[in-house]
Amino acid sequence: MDLRLPEIDGVELCERIREINPDAVIYAFSGGFTEVDSDRLEEMGFDGYLCKPVKIEILERAIEGAFEKIYKKRERLSIPSL
């Protein structure tokens, strides 16, 4: 999601989504990041970030990574504990 939204900023929206669905995969999307920003974004609940303009190959990898994370979580939940 974009970090700059009309009625709410992306960080607040990320927090609200996490309250409803802690397992959602959420990427921050913005025009400029620094290394400090990327570390802080993880602390704020984002799974990663994409810089504008995003290249299609990077977007595809992010989407694939999100699905892998979801599948791994489902696999862990379906394995009976010992």
Side-chain angles (χ1 to χ4, degrees), residues 58-73:
I58 293 172
L59 181 59
E60 287 173 345
R61 279 186 278 181
I63 293 168
E64 289 170 359
F67 278 106
E68 285 177 23
K69 183 175 181 175
I70 292 167
Y71 294 142
K72 286 179 183 178
K73 174 78 174 183

